[in-house]
């Protein structure tokens, strides 16, 4: 496994792999790798001939008062996990390498980027799209792998790929969870023992919404109200940014559940103590 820090070198390596006819897979990450990241790597390994993982804590996707500085970084740990999984290249650029000193160009997917997480994190998806497009341009992967844990991110990246005629397949991968249902996240490290217990409530409440729909409730506004209320009552949950039931493709708000076969995205973002956690599930109407 080779670690590449320079953008030009990464581009050259990629071009030569493409010339040789290899199918290139890219797994973009911010590092501090856990089983969620590794599940993306495993799927990518099974579908691609050469695998590049990027590790870059992207400053442009963090707001001024967010956790960019304290975001967990553990390159040694990441290196040994990546090598075990058979990653071929780690692309590890510096901020300077990616953005230089006079960076001015950003990519924004309008509307989709300003709802849900975009409402509470203005500019977040603009930073995500910009860095992902840069990675696509540098590496030119055939396939890129993203986790459903960040569902809105996948929808937005797919839209960017469609609108900008990019020739990369976006593969979305299932959410990996702890035994009690908490979705794995690098930010779970911020939680105290007590907060960690409360964090499991996110997944429970998403499933409760699924049960209500399964039980015949069709008024989605009512379910949103009940679940938001439940989340607000959980010890250590300081704020509910949103709990939404939306169309799983367009992300449009839904007031009523529809016909059998319809898929509804149930998604939430809450503050457990000082830590913002997100989670989602897809509910299929039987
Ligand atoms: P991050 O390092 O948090 O930017 O995540 C890098 C990629 O891993 C993103 O595509 C995430 O959606 C994905 N990911 C993070 N956590 C999980 C998880 N628990 N299960 C599956 N994928 C995940």
């Amino acid at each position: 496994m080779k670690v590449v820090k320079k953008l030009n070198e990464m581009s050259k390596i990629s071009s030569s792999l493409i010339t040789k006819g290899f199918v290139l897979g890219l797994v973009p990450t911010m590092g501090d790798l856990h089983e969620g990241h590794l599940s993306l790597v495993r799927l990518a390994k099974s579908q691609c001939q050469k695998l590049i993982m990027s590790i870059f804590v992207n400053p442009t996707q963090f707001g001024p008062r967010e956790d960019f500085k304290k975001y967990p970084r553990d390159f040694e740990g990441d290196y040994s996990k990546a090598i075990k999984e058979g990653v071929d290249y780690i692309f590890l650029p510096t901020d300077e390498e990616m953005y230089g000193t006079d960076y001015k160009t950003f990519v924004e997917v309008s509307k989709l980027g300003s709802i849900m997480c975009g409402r509470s994190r203005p500019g977040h998806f603009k930073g995500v799209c910009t860095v992902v497009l840069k990675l696509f341009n540098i590496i030119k992967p055939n396939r890129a792998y993203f986790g459903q844990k960040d569902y809105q991110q996948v929808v937005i990246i797919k839209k960017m790929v469609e609108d900008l005629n990019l020739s990369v397949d976006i593969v979305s991968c299932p959410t990996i969870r702890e035994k009690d249902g908490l979705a794995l996240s690098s930010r779970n490290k911020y939680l105290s023992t007590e907060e960690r217990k409360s964090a499991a409530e996110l997944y429970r409440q998403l499933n409760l919404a699924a049960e209500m729909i399964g039980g015949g409730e069709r008024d989605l506004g009512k379910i949103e109200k009940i679940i938001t209320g439940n989340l607000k009552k959980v010890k250590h949950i300081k704020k509910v940014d949103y709990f939404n039931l939306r169309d799983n493709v367009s992300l449009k708000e839904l007031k009523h559940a529809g016909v059998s076969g319809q898929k509804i995205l149930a998604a939430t973002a809450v503050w457990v103590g000082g830590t913002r956690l997100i989670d989602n599930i897809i509910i299929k109407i039987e």
Side-chain angles (χ1 to χ4, degrees), residues 28-31 34 36-37 39-40 71 145-150 153 173-176 183-186:
T29 80
M30 299 205 296
H34 52 63
H37 299 113
S39 72
L40 270 54
Y71 194 84
Y145 295 79
F146 294 88
Q148 271 170 33
K149 148 106 193 330
D150 300 276
Q153 171 172 283
C173 312
T175 303
I176 307 299
L184 298 192
S185 162
S186 305

Side-chain angles (χ1 to χ4, degrees), residues 10-274:
M10 189 68 254
S11 277
K12 267 191 204 151
I13 291 172
S14 251
S15 300
S16 113
L17 294 171
I18 293 163
T19 310
K20 287 179 188 147
F22 289 116
V23 174
L24 290 195
L26 170 66
V27 178
T29 80
M30 299 205 296
D32 192 39
L33 303 180
H34 52 63
E35 280 296 312
H37 299 113
L38 301 183
S39 72
L40 270 54
V41 169
R42 285 171 201 143
L43 184 63
K45 272 299 274 185
S46 72
Q47 299 182 341
C48 305
Q49 291 158 317
K50 291 286 174 189
L51 181 54
I52 300 159
M53 167 185 270
S54 59
I55 298 182
F56 181 58
V57 184
N58 174 34
T60 65
Q61 71 188 67
F62 288 80
R65 278 176 293 281
E66 292 184 352
D67 57 342
F68 174 68
K69 280 212 176 109
K70 74 164 186 176
Y71 194 84
R73 289 157 171 93
D74 172 24
F75 184 67
E76 266 178 45
D78 292 348
Y79 183 91
S80 57
K81 285 172 195 157
I83 206 165
K84 247 192 216 153
E85 297 296 332
V87 170
D88 297 295
Y89 298 90
I90 293 184
F91 180 43
L92 184 74
T94 58
D95 297 0
E96 167 93 41
E97 189 67 13
M98 283 298 266
Y99 291 111
T101 50
D102 186 31
Y103 194 82
K104 291 205 162 45
T105 309
F106 291 89
V107 189
E108 199 162 14
V109 176
S110 61
K111 291 200 175 118
L112 287 177
S114 49
I115 56 173
M116 302 165 71
C117 285
R119 257 181 89 174
S120 23
R121 303 186 70 189
H124 169 67
F125 289 112
K126 186 168 128 184
V128 169
C129 286
T130 302
V131 80
V132 169
L133 181 58
K134 283 169 75 68
L135 291 170
F136 287 173
N137 284 334
I138 295 162
I139 295 166
K140 299 193 171 60
N142 300 90
R143 293 163 162 259
Y145 295 79
F146 294 88
Q148 271 170 33
K149 148 106 193 330
D150 300 276
Y151 194 93
Q152 186 179 8
Q153 171 172 283
V154 181
V155 171
I156 288 175
I157 287 167
K158 282 185 177 164
K159 190 70 186 125
M160 173 180 80
V161 165
E162 183 193 337
D163 287 356
L164 298 181
N165 316 99
L166 307 178
S167 54
V168 51
D169 288 335
I170 303 301
V171 183
S172 96
C173 312
T175 303
I176 307 299
R177 301 178 178 281
E178 303 277 8
K179 275 205 186 89
D180 65 358
L182 176 66
L184 298 192
S185 162
S186 305
R187 290 190 169 100
N188 293 350
K189 281 192 177 159
Y190 300 153
L191 302 168
S192 69
T193 315
E194 283 299 303
E195 289 169 350
R196 168 65 189 80
K197 280 184 205 154
S198 299
E201 204 57 41
L202 270 79
Y203 188 56
R204 279 189 216 120
Q205 291 299 323
L206 289 167
N207 281 301
L208 183 57
E211 274 170 38
M212 290 163 103
I213 293 172
E217 181 59 73
R218 289 294 174 262
D219 182 346
L220 299 183
K222 184 172 160 189
I223 299 176
E224 278 189 2
K225 250 192 200 157
I226 294 171
I227 302 292
T228 304
N230 289 351
L231 284 167
K232 279 183 179 163
K233 278 186 225 136
V234 176
K235 209 175 161 195
H236 303 297
I237 291 192
K238 295 268 180 306
K239 193 180 171 212
V240 178
D241 272 353
Y242 64 85
F243 173 86
N244 282 175
L245 295 164
R246 292 177 179 260
D247 180 83
N248 74 314
V249 179
S250 68
L251 302 188
K252 287 207 172 99
E253 272 184 295
L254 297 171
K255 289 285 161 237
H256 297 279
V259 290
S260 154
Q262 182 189 20
K263 285 182 182 164
I264 298 173
L265 167 70
T268 189
V270 307
W271 286 87
V272 182

